[in-house]
Amino acid sequence: MRSRWWPLVAICLGSFMLLLDVTIVTVAIPDMAADLHASFADLQWVLDVYALVLAALLLGAGSAVDYVAGLALFALGSLACGLAPTAGVLITARGLQGIGGALMFATTTAMLNATYSGRDRGVAFGIWGAVNGAGSALGPLIGGLLTEHAGWRWIFLVNLPITVVTIVLTLVVCAETRRPGVRLDVAGVLGFTVFAGALTYGLIRAGDHGWSAPGTWLFLVLAVLALAVFLSIERRAEFPSLDLRLFRSGSFTATITAGLLLMASAFAILAFTSVWLQGVLGLSPIAAGVALLPLAGCAFLVSALAGRVVQGISPRWTVGGGMVLIGVGGWLQALIGPNSSASALLPGLAVVGLGCGLAIPALTSAAMSAAPPQLGGMVAGALNTSRQLGYALGVAVLGLVFRATVETHLSDPSLVGAVVAGQAPRTRAVGEAIVAGLNIGYLVAGAAGVLGGLLVLWLVRPATAPDTSQPTSTASRATTTTPPITTSPAPTHN
């Protein structure tokens, strides 16, 4: 390898770990539940808190962002996850991982732009995008391998040696490790964090205590108030995290909504699918990871083969059509029955993968085309935030649906925790309850995908960017949010 590509290696190693840890937990959930005696709500938070922290910090990441600092925090969080004695400690450690991941994630585009130019920049971003996709796609398989042969704690501890190598390599070969020239919208980030956290907590608590419980309503009301405060802050802020005038464009609004619904419809259900694969069918963690690979494989194949073919096609059709396919794939998965094997998921997972392969690469260009070029960094942050928030809310909502359905089919609702931990008796009644819960979840996920597709087909047009003319100080902030994004695709998350 020529020396100029070593910075790319350092950046790709960090990105690979970051995105791997979004999906690597999927097939380890039953082992975690059994080992830590975790409740269903605890496990939802293990999945959600990482994505929520990423979502909140990516929206307003500022001048404090530093790649090496992010790597160090990510390693510390990974160590704490691997040693966690209780579910509460694990959830907290996953949050720390998310902070480190956000610092890394928000810096990589600037580092690549500062390091490469011309044709090399295009090559670098192409390789980086492929590595991002590989990280997310290989998560369930690598998680299965580590969980089965070394234990679930090693899905986190394996990050430590890789992080040490990445930090050393970064310090040696990377001249730029910070994202410079950005003002941090502290009030906006806090408002958004309270909104996203309270909404997710309220939804998860509804599954534990019901919709009528005072705590449930308290957090849902808090979410509404926090959202109102966030919007008020962004309207008045000199350096906003999100220029609300962008939403004057129907194309921008539809694209951001599609990013949220895509993650909720395509990926949030996978953790509950793993419960069926391991708890009912008795598959090993590795076999469960392999059973979920058709989604990633088809997404990769379509992205690679269709990249040039669809390049001149409007995102209205690629994103909209891809979202509809994701929805249809969800509905196809809802055809599993009590006597089904893992192969029954194959058609649905494949169709979801086809949809992801079409929609995800085009999401960024669709969002960028609806905004002024100087707001490219802000748009990229909003899109990545919507994806992470979509995953977190998807886990919360689909977990609520799954749990409620399973409880109605079991004579003893307290068995839900044992079901998730794979410790419930493998009776026909338990199997039918889990299948029923999954099928309702697939139907809801499919509806979200189709809704997102129809919204994109309706609203996305070749449109001029909305008027976001603003005072010099705000325009200056927007221009320096990131280097030119139009030449660098935002990280795909699939």
Side-chain angles (χ1 to χ4, degrees):
M1 176 183 291
R2 297 174 65 179
S3 60
R4 73 176 187 274
W5 296 114
W6 281 112
L8 178 62
V9 174
I11 293 167
C12 286
L13 278 173
S15 297
F16 182 83
M17 285 190 299
L18 187 160
L19 294 175
L20 185 76
D21 271 52
V22 177
T23 56
I24 199 172
V25 178
T26 301
V27 297
I29 286 295
D31 287 66
M32 287 180 182
D35 191 21
L36 299 178
H37 306 290
S39 68
F40 188 82
D42 289 336
L43 297 171
Q44 285 180 278
W45 275 113
V46 170
L47 293 165
D48 266 358
V49 70
Y50 184 75
L52 279 174
V53 172
L54 278 176
L57 296 185
L58 284 174
L59 187 63
S63 58
V65 171
D66 184 273
Y67 188 66
V68 173
L71 283 166
L73 279 176
F74 186 82
L76 183 61
S78 297
L79 177 63
C81 286
L83 300 178
T86 65
V89 173
L90 179 59
I91 292 167
T92 303
R94 283 283 281 172
L96 182 59
Q97 264 196 317
I99 296 173
L103 297 184
M104 295 157 58
F105 202 69
T107 316
T108 50
T109 298
M111 290 176 65
L112 288 171
N113 270 304
T115 305
Y116 300 103
S117 60
R119 188 175 182 277
D120 283 353
R121 181 180 288 175
V123 173
F125 274 106
I127 294 173
W128 176 62
V131 170
N132 286 344
S136 297
L138 294 176
L141 182 60
I142 294 176
L145 285 167
L146 290 171
T147 299
E148 187 166 333
H149 293 296
W152 67 265
R153 295 180 184 276
W154 279 95
I155 67 177
F156 303 111
L157 295 176
V158 73
N159 292 328
L160 299 179
I162 301 174
T163 303
V164 171
V165 171
T166 306
I167 289 176
V168 172
L169 188 60
T170 300
L171 293 174
V172 171
V173 304
C174 292
E176 178 62 69
T177 64
R178 295 176 64 86
R179 178 182 173 187
V182 186
R183 295 283 294 274
L184 179 60
D185 174 22
V186 176
V189 170
L190 289 176
F192 183 83
T193 301
V194 173
F195 156 68
L199 179 58
T200 305
Y201 187 85
L203 291 171
I204 292 176
R205 187 176 175 85
D208 260 351
H209 303 284
W211 290 101
S212 60
T216 301
W217 283 106
L218 175 64
F219 279 95
L220 293 178
V221 170
L222 177 61
V224 173
L225 294 176
L227 178 59
V229 170
F230 168 71
L231 295 176
S232 177
I233 290 170
E234 297 307 287
R235 287 193 192 98
R236 294 174 171 81
E238 183 181 5
F239 302 103
S241 298
L242 180 61
D243 191 329
L244 300 180
R245 286 171 292 184
L246 288 169
F247 290 97
R248 294 173 183 172
S249 165
S251 294
F252 179 82
T253 301
T255 304
I256 295 299
T257 304
L260 186 146
L261 293 177
L262 187 152
M263 295 301 297
S265 59
F267 302 109
I269 194 69
L270 295 182
F272 309 111
T273 303
S274 178
V275 170
W276 176 64
L277 292 171
Q278 296 183 66
V280 176
L281 300 187
L283 298 186
S284 67
I286 293 177
V290 170
L292 298 177
L293 273 182
L295 190 161
C298 288
F300 264 147
L301 187 62
V302 172
S303 296
L305 296 180
R308 293 184 178 180
V309 176
V310 303
Q311 197 167 19
I313 300 177
S314 168
R316 175 190 181 191
W317 301 109
T318 50
V319 177
M323 289 292 297
V324 170
L325 282 175
I326 289 171
V328 171
W331 289 340
L332 286 175
Q333 291 175 81
L335 299 177
I336 64 171
N339 298 317
S340 296
S341 65
S343 61
L345 295 173
L346 179 58
L349 288 172
V351 173
V352 171
L354 293 176
C356 289
L358 283 175
I360 289 176
L363 269 172
T364 301
S365 62
M368 294 297 176
S369 65
Q374 70 268 23
L375 296 184
M378 183 182 290
V379 171
L383 183 58
N384 286 324
T385 290
S386 73
R387 291 172 178 172
Q388 300 299 332
L389 182 61
Y391 179 79
L393 293 179
V395 169
V397 172
L398 296 177
L400 178 63
V401 170
F402 174 81
R403 176 174 183 162
T405 306
V406 170
E407 286 181 346
T408 61
H409 283 73
L410 291 176
S411 57
D412 181 6
S414 64
L415 279 175
V416 170
V419 165
V420 175
Q423 296 176 333
R426 288 182 185 168
T427 63
R428 184 172 182 84
V430 169
E432 289 176 347
I434 294 177
V435 166
L438 269 183
N439 282 337
I440 297 297
Y442 289 137
L443 290 174
V444 173
V450 171
L451 176 63
L454 294 177
L455 191 65
V456 169
L457 291 171
W458 176 34
L459 292 178
V460 171
R461 295 288 186 276
T464 56
D467 178 18
T468 55
S469 57
Q470 48 195 311
T472 303
S473 59
T474 308
S476 174
R477 187 263 183 191
T479 302
T480 57
T481 297
T482 61
I485 301 295
T486 50
T487 61
S488 53
T492 56
H493 203 133
N494 53 9

